[in-house]
């Protein structure tokens, strides 16, 4: 596994309703301490809640729309 693969983790929260997407991101942060996490979600509420959670934990969040889904890049 390369350094980039260890630093970039992916969490797919599509199909889950809150609070599960936030819990999934929280678990990934606690487990890996990754400096960058890519999150896929499929609704506005999860996007907003994950963004608030990530920012409160020191991450910057870049959000983009990919078809029907949202892609969030969390960086620390």
């Amino acid at each position: 596994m390369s350094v980039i693969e260890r630093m970039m983790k992916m969490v797919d929260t599509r199909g889950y309703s809150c609070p599960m997407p936030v819990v999934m991101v929280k678990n990934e942060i606690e487990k890996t301490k990754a400096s960058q996490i890519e999150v896929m979600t499929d609704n506005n509420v999860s996007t907003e809640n994950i963004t608030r959670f990530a920012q409160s934990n020191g991450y910057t969040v870049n959000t983009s729309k990919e078809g029907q889904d949202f892609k969030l890049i969390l960086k620390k």
Side-chain angles (χ1 to χ4, degrees), residues 25-59:
V25 171
K26 178 181 184 281
N27 289 342
E28 187 66 29
I29 288 172
E30 290 174 351
K31 181 176 77 175
T32 66
K33 310 281 191 244
S35 60
Q36 187 167 318
I37 300 171
E38 177 180 318
V39 181
M40 295 300 296
T41 189
D42 57 5
N43 66 77
N44 282 323
V45 173
S46 293
T47 300
E48 292 168 6
N49 291 340
I50 291 166
T51 297
R52 272 194 301 275
F53 172 78
Q55 289 173 337
S56 73
N57 282 276
Y59 286 84

Tab-separated table of all heavy atoms in Angstrom, residues 25-59:
chain	number	residue	atom	x	y	z
A	25	VAL	N	-18.441	8.205	9.242
A	25	VAL	CA	-17.281	9.090	9.065
A	25	VAL	C	-16.506	9.195	10.380
A	25	VAL	O	-15.278	9.118	10.390
A	25	VAL	CB	-17.717	10.480	8.557
A	25	VAL	CG1	-16.567	11.463	8.581
A	25	VAL	CG2	-18.297	10.357	7.147
A	26	LYS	N	-17.202	9.341	11.487
A	26	LYS	CA	-16.567	9.418	12.808
A	26	LYS	C	-15.734	8.168	13.062
A	26	LYS	O	-14.581	8.250	13.511
A	26	LYS	CB	-17.629	9.576	13.889
A	26	LYS	CG	-17.090	9.626	15.304
A	26	LYS	CD	-18.234	9.768	16.298
A	26	LYS	CE	-17.752	9.917	17.710
A	26	LYS	NZ	-17.364	8.668	18.333
A	27	ASN	N	-16.294	6.992	12.776
A	27	ASN	CA	-15.572	5.734	12.980
A	27	ASN	C	-14.315	5.670	12.120
A	27	ASN	O	-13.263	5.203	12.575
A	27	ASN	CB	-16.474	4.542	12.702
A	27	ASN	CG	-17.535	4.362	13.760
A	27	ASN	OD1	-17.439	4.900	14.867
A	27	ASN	ND2	-18.574	3.617	13.430
A	28	GLU	N	-14.412	6.120	10.881
A	28	GLU	CA	-13.242	6.112	9.978
A	28	GLU	C	-12.160	7.048	10.508
A	28	GLU	O	-10.976	6.705	10.498
A	28	GLU	CB	-13.651	6.512	8.561
A	28	GLU	CG	-12.542	6.372	7.542
A	28	GLU	CD	-12.111	4.931	7.308
A	28	GLU	OE1	-12.922	4.005	7.461
A	28	GLU	OE2	-10.926	4.732	6.981
A	29	ILE	N	-12.543	8.228	10.971
A	29	ILE	CA	-11.571	9.178	11.527
A	29	ILE	C	-10.879	8.571	12.744
A	29	ILE	O	-9.652	8.611	12.862
A	29	ILE	CB	-12.261	10.516	11.888
A	29	ILE	CG1	-12.625	11.276	10.617
A	29	ILE	CG2	-11.370	11.367	12.795
A	29	ILE	CD1	-13.488	12.512	10.845
A	30	GLU	N	-11.656	7.979	13.646
A	30	GLU	CA	-11.079	7.389	14.859
A	30	GLU	C	-10.198	6.194	14.543
A	30	GLU	O	-9.161	6.002	15.171
A	30	GLU	CB	-12.193	6.984	15.824
A	30	GLU	CG	-12.901	8.170	16.434
A	30	GLU	CD	-14.100	7.785	17.286
A	30	GLU	OE1	-14.506	6.603	17.281
A	30	GLU	OE2	-14.643	8.692	17.942
A	31	LYS	N	-10.600	5.400	13.564
A	31	LYS	CA	-9.867	4.178	13.216
A	31	LYS	C	-8.557	4.477	12.493
A	31	LYS	O	-7.532	3.872	12.786
A	31	LYS	CB	-10.757	3.280	12.353
A	31	LYS	CG	-10.120	1.960	11.946
A	31	LYS	CD	-11.101	1.096	11.180
A	31	LYS	CE	-11.210	1.619	9.763
A	31	LYS	NZ	-12.044	0.788	8.888
A	32	THR	N	-8.594	5.405	11.544
A	32	THR	CA	-7.436	5.573	10.666
A	32	THR	C	-6.627	6.832	10.911
A	32	THR	O	-5.482	6.913	10.483
A	32	THR	CB	-7.881	5.596	9.188
A	32	THR	OG1	-8.675	6.757	8.965
A	32	THR	CG2	-8.644	4.338	8.823
A	33	LYS	N	-7.236	7.860	11.518
A	33	LYS	CA	-6.565	9.157	11.684
A	33	LYS	C	-6.089	9.696	10.328
A	33	LYS	O	-5.068	10.355	10.221
A	33	LYS	CB	-5.373	9.068	12.644
A	33	LYS	CG	-5.665	8.409	13.965
A	33	LYS	CD	-6.359	9.338	14.908
A	33	LYS	CE	-6.397	8.761	16.306
A	33	LYS	NZ	-7.694	8.471	16.807
A	34	ALA	N	-6.851	9.395	9.269
A	34	ALA	CA	-6.478	9.795	7.912
A	34	ALA	C	-6.463	11.315	7.779
A	34	ALA	O	-7.286	12.012	8.351
A	34	ALA	CB	-7.448	9.200	6.896
A	35	SER	N	-5.505	11.811	7.001
A	35	SER	CA	-5.418	13.250	6.755
A	35	SER	C	-6.380	13.688	5.654
A	35	SER	O	-6.683	14.859	5.520
A	35	SER	CB	-3.989	13.646	6.394
A	35	SER	OG	-3.590	12.972	5.226
A	36	GLN	N	-6.855	12.720	4.877
A	36	GLN	CA	-7.824	13.033	3.819
A	36	GLN	C	-8.799	11.870	3.691
A	36	GLN	O	-8.392	10.720	3.623
A	36	GLN	CB	-7.108	13.281	2.495
A	36	GLN	CG	-8.037	13.758	1.410
A	36	GLN	CD	-7.284	14.307	0.208
A	36	GLN	OE1	-6.309	15.014	0.360
A	36	GLN	NE2	-7.750	13.982	-0.979
A	37	ILE	N	-10.093	12.214	3.681
A	37	ILE	CA	-11.133	11.201	3.559
A	37	ILE	C	-12.103	11.641	2.467
A	37	ILE	O	-12.554	12.777	2.448
A	37	ILE	CB	-11.904	11.021	4.886
A	37	ILE	CG1	-10.944	10.586	6.003
A	37	ILE	CG2	-13.039	10.020	4.732
A	37	ILE	CD1	-11.560	10.590	7.386
A	38	GLU	N	-12.415	10.725	1.568
A	38	GLU	CA	-13.418	10.975	0.536
A	38	GLU	C	-14.712	10.326	0.998
A	38	GLU	O	-14.716	9.159	1.388
A	38	GLU	CB	-12.974	10.373	-0.786
A	38	GLU	CG	-13.985	10.530	-1.894
A	38	GLU	CD	-13.519	9.915	-3.198
A	38	GLU	OE1	-12.339	10.076	-3.549
A	38	GLU	OE2	-14.348	9.266	-3.857
A	39	VAL	N	-15.796	11.095	0.996
A	39	VAL	CA	-17.088	10.592	1.436
A	39	VAL	C	-18.092	10.741	0.297
A	39	VAL	O	-18.198	11.807	-0.298
A	39	VAL	CB	-17.601	11.368	2.678
A	39	VAL	CG1	-18.938	10.801	3.139
A	39	VAL	CG2	-16.582	11.342	3.802
A	40	MET	N	-18.803	9.675	0.002
A	40	MET	CA	-19.886	9.718	-0.977
A	40	MET	C	-21.197	9.631	-0.206
A	40	MET	O	-21.344	8.792	0.683
A	40	MET	CB	-19.788	8.556	-1.965
A	40	MET	CG	-18.567	8.594	-2.859
A	40	MET	SD	-18.431	10.058	-3.892
A	40	MET	CE	-19.865	9.892	-4.951
A	41	THR	N	-22.124	10.529	-0.534
A	41	THR	CA	-23.442	10.514	0.085
A	41	THR	C	-24.486	10.836	-0.971
A	41	THR	O	-24.144	11.289	-2.067
A	41	THR	CB	-23.511	11.482	1.297
A	41	THR	OG1	-24.736	11.272	1.981
A	41	THR	CG2	-23.362	12.917	0.886
A	42	ASP	N	-25.735	10.578	-0.636
A	42	ASP	CA	-26.770	10.737	-1.653
A	42	ASP	C	-27.878	11.706	-1.252
A	42	ASP	O	-28.933	11.719	-1.873
A	42	ASP	CB	-27.366	9.373	-2.029
A	42	ASP	CG	-27.930	8.632	-0.822
A	42	ASP	OD1	-27.947	9.198	0.294
A	42	ASP	OD2	-28.350	7.474	-0.995
A	43	ASN	N	-27.631	12.520	-0.203
A	43	ASN	CA	-28.669	13.478	0.172
A	43	ASN	C	-28.081	14.713	0.850
A	43	ASN	O	-26.983	14.669	1.400
A	43	ASN	CB	-29.751	12.813	1.031
A	43	ASN	CG	-29.228	12.357	2.366
A	43	ASN	OD1	-29.030	13.163	3.261
A	43	ASN	ND2	-28.993	11.058	2.505
A	44	ASN	N	-28.840	15.793	0.782
A	44	ASN	CA	-28.387	17.077	1.328
A	44	ASN	C	-28.197	17.055	2.837
A	44	ASN	O	-27.252	17.649	3.351
A	44	ASN	CB	-29.375	18.195	0.968
A	44	ASN	CG	-29.219	18.658	-0.455
A	44	ASN	OD1	-28.118	18.730	-0.978
A	44	ASN	ND2	-30.327	18.973	-1.088
A	45	VAL	N	-29.100	16.392	3.552
A	45	VAL	CA	-29.023	16.383	5.019
A	45	VAL	C	-27.722	15.727	5.470
A	45	VAL	O	-27.015	16.265	6.329
A	45	VAL	CB	-30.259	15.673	5.631
A	45	VAL	CG1	-30.099	15.512	7.132
A	45	VAL	CG2	-31.518	16.450	5.310
A	46	SER	N	-27.372	14.589	4.897
A	46	SER	CA	-26.120	13.921	5.258
A	46	SER	C	-24.919	14.785	4.893
A	46	SER	O	-23.959	14.884	5.661
A	46	SER	CB	-26.006	12.567	4.557
A	46	SER	OG	-26.974	11.682	5.054
A	47	THR	N	-24.984	15.427	3.732
A	47	THR	CA	-23.902	16.307	3.301
A	47	THR	C	-23.684	17.414	4.334
A	47	THR	O	-22.553	17.675	4.757
A	47	THR	CB	-24.206	16.906	1.920
A	47	THR	OG1	-24.348	15.837	0.984
A	47	THR	CG2	-23.112	17.838	1.457
A	48	GLU	N	-24.765	18.052	4.761
A	48	GLU	CA	-24.654	19.138	5.735
A	48	GLU	C	-24.167	18.637	7.091
A	48	GLU	O	-23.301	19.263	7.714
A	48	GLU	CB	-26.016	19.828	5.891
A	48	GLU	CG	-26.442	20.585	4.647
A	48	GLU	CD	-27.893	21.020	4.680
A	48	GLU	OE1	-28.568	20.830	5.721
A	48	GLU	OE2	-28.356	21.560	3.653
A	49	ASN	N	-24.693	17.509	7.557
A	49	ASN	CA	-24.301	16.981	8.862
A	49	ASN	C	-22.850	16.506	8.884
A	49	ASN	O	-22.125	16.747	9.852
A	49	ASN	CB	-25.239	15.857	9.303
A	49	ASN	CG	-26.622	16.362	9.639
A	49	ASN	OD1	-26.830	17.539	9.896
A	49	ASN	ND2	-27.598	15.463	9.629
A	50	ILE	N	-22.416	15.843	7.820
A	50	ILE	CA	-21.018	15.391	7.736
A	50	ILE	C	-20.095	16.598	7.682
A	50	ILE	O	-19.044	16.615	8.325
A	50	ILE	CB	-20.812	14.462	6.519
A	50	ILE	CG1	-21.545	13.135	6.743
A	50	ILE	CG2	-19.321	14.231	6.250
A	50	ILE	CD1	-21.683	12.283	5.499
A	51	THR	N	-20.481	17.620	6.916
A	51	THR	CA	-19.668	18.836	6.819
A	51	THR	C	-19.501	19.473	8.191
A	51	THR	O	-18.380	19.814	8.594
A	51	THR	CB	-20.293	19.828	5.824
A	51	THR	OG1	-20.309	19.220	4.529
A	51	THR	CG2	-19.516	21.131	5.765
A	52	ARG	N	-20.590	19.643	8.925
A	52	ARG	CA	-20.508	20.244	10.268
A	52	ARG	C	-19.628	19.416	11.196
A	52	ARG	O	-18.788	19.941	11.925
A	52	ARG	CB	-21.902	20.390	10.878
A	52	ARG	CG	-22.580	21.689	10.511
A	52	ARG	CD	-23.783	21.963	11.393
A	52	ARG	NE	-24.801	20.926	11.333
A	52	ARG	CZ	-25.755	20.860	10.410
A	52	ARG	NH1	-25.836	21.769	9.462
A	52	ARG	NH2	-26.630	19.890	10.424
A	53	PHE	N	-19.826	18.096	11.168
A	53	PHE	CA	-19.032	17.209	12.024
A	53	PHE	C	-17.546	17.305	11.680
A	53	PHE	O	-16.696	17.436	12.572
A	53	PHE	CB	-19.509	15.755	11.893
A	53	PHE	CG	-18.620	14.790	12.604
A	53	PHE	CD1	-18.705	14.643	13.975
A	53	PHE	CD2	-17.673	14.054	11.904
A	53	PHE	CE1	-17.854	13.773	14.639
A	53	PHE	CE2	-16.827	13.187	12.563
A	53	PHE	CZ	-16.913	13.039	13.934
A	54	ALA	N	-17.233	17.226	10.392
A	54	ALA	CA	-15.834	17.258	9.959
A	54	ALA	C	-15.178	18.581	10.340
A	54	ALA	O	-14.046	18.602	10.847
A	54	ALA	CB	-15.736	17.025	8.458
A	55	GLN	N	-15.864	19.690	10.107
A	55	GLN	CA	-15.294	20.993	10.446
A	55	GLN	C	-15.071	21.132	11.943
A	55	GLN	O	-14.069	21.696	12.373
A	55	GLN	CB	-16.199	22.111	9.917
A	55	GLN	CG	-16.155	22.209	8.411
A	55	GLN	CD	-17.164	23.191	7.827
A	55	GLN	OE1	-18.177	23.516	8.447
A	55	GLN	NE2	-16.889	23.647	6.620
A	56	SER	N	-15.958	20.577	12.748
A	56	SER	CA	-15.779	20.648	14.201
A	56	SER	C	-14.611	19.781	14.667
A	56	SER	O	-14.151	19.929	15.795
A	56	SER	CB	-17.066	20.243	14.925
A	56	SER	OG	-17.288	18.855	14.831
A	57	ASN	N	-14.133	18.900	13.792
A	57	ASN	CA	-12.984	18.053	14.103
A	57	ASN	C	-11.728	18.484	13.356
A	57	ASN	O	-10.791	17.702	13.201
A	57	ASN	CB	-13.321	16.589	13.802
A	57	ASN	CG	-14.169	15.995	14.893
A	57	ASN	OD1	-13.657	15.548	15.906
A	57	ASN	ND2	-15.487	16.020	14.721
A	58	GLY	N	-11.725	19.718	12.852
A	58	GLY	CA	-10.525	20.283	12.254
A	58	GLY	C	-10.300	19.993	10.784
A	58	GLY	O	-9.226	20.262	10.261
A	59	TYR	N	-11.285	19.448	10.104
A	59	TYR	CA	-11.161	19.163	8.676
A	59	TYR	C	-11.757	20.309	7.859
A	59	TYR	O	-12.744	20.911	8.267
A	59	TYR	CB	-11.906	17.866	8.304
A	59	TYR	CG	-11.217	16.615	8.740
A	59	TYR	CD1	-11.383	16.122	10.033
A	59	TYR	CD2	-10.394	15.908	7.875
A	59	TYR	CE1	-10.752	14.958	10.444
A	59	TYR	CE2	-9.757	14.743	8.270
A	59	TYR	CZ	-9.937	14.270	9.560
A	59	TYR	OH	-9.309	13.126	9.967
